[in-house]
Amino acid sequence: GQNIDQPTEMTATEGAIVQINCTYQTSGFNGLFWYQQHAGEAPTFLSYNVLDGLEEKGRFSSFLSRSKGYSYLLLKELQMKDSASYLCAVRKNAGNMLTFGGGTRLMVKP
Amino acid sequence: EPEVTQTPSHQVTQMGQEVILRCVPISNHLYFYWYRQILGQKVEFLVSFYNNEISEKSEIFDDQFSVERPDGSNFTLKIRSTKLEDSAMYFCASSEATGPASNSPLHFGNGTRLTVT
């Protein structure tokens, strides 16, 4: 099986930087995805890592360490609209099935 | 931007009835998926579909469930003899490609909220 752990909730201030961590245990690791999900809406794709290192996309960056089974999503210059759940998902082997963590609910305060 | 569309957005049914949830994946995508999310819980994989057959399925996807691609555009999930615990948001998703070198993400539809009473 797979274990994917994320903090349940985080709070941050508008304009600040926040880091959301994700740890996972799986065999046959084949990529880690981050999704954003606003309440009652569909998950939307943010980033993908399969090799160690940092991937940057505008205000969002994602880091992966395969040896440590660890990833983080970094959100800079937080905006109120960034208040959402952030889902870490792991892909295993050659298939495309994603296994999701429970998500981290981020609340951005003024 | 192309998107995955799902209908209906909300479905209420009585326990024991059958429901069909409909999805139109993005047109050039080859892989299709159903996920569900019970209120307040994690997104759970149900099934993936490629080349007109199921490629992977989870333990949740038992004989009560079936999928079909009846024509070139639709992808359906049928739930037979619904139970109260089937109440959830059901998300359809599609992706372009798969394989070890692919970063093709899953694109999700807005979901169908199924309420079983």
Side-chain angles (χ1 to χ4, degrees), chain A residues 9-86:
Chain A
E9 282 189 0
M10 297 182 73
T11 302
T13 305
E14 193 177 13
I17 299 172
V18 71
Q19 177 175 312
I20 302 174
N21 296 324
C22 171
T23 58
Y24 64 89
Q25 293 175 313
T26 187
S27 56
F29 174 83
N30 188 25
L32 187 142
F33 294 77
W34 283 96
Y35 280 80
Q36 180 191 61
Q37 186 180 30
H38 285 98
E41 297 183 13
T44 55
F45 170 71
L46 290 178
S47 70
Y48 165 79
N49 296 74
V50 68
L51 300 175
D52 286 358
L54 189 68
E55 294 285 339
E56 296 187 78
K57 281 173 94 173
R59 293 191 300 116
F60 295 78
S61 304
S62 58
F63 171 84
L64 176 68
S65 168
R66 294 179 62 150
S67 61
K68 294 181 179 175
Y70 167 70
S71 173
Y72 66 73
L73 180 69
L74 195 70
L75 293 77
K76 303 175 191 172
E77 300 168 17
L78 280 173
Q79 302 174 8
M80 298 299 291
K81 67 177 182 180
D82 296 330
S83 293
S85 286
Y86 291 86

Side-chain angles (χ1 to χ4, degrees), chain A residues 35 37 42 48 91 96-98, chain B residues 33 37 95 102-103 106 109:
Chain A
Y35 280 80
Q37 186 180 30
Y48 165 79
R91 185 171 66 188
N96 222 18
M97 182 192 93
L98 296 184
Chain B
Y33 314 83
Q37 187 174 32
S95 68
S102 170
N103 69 349
L106 274 61

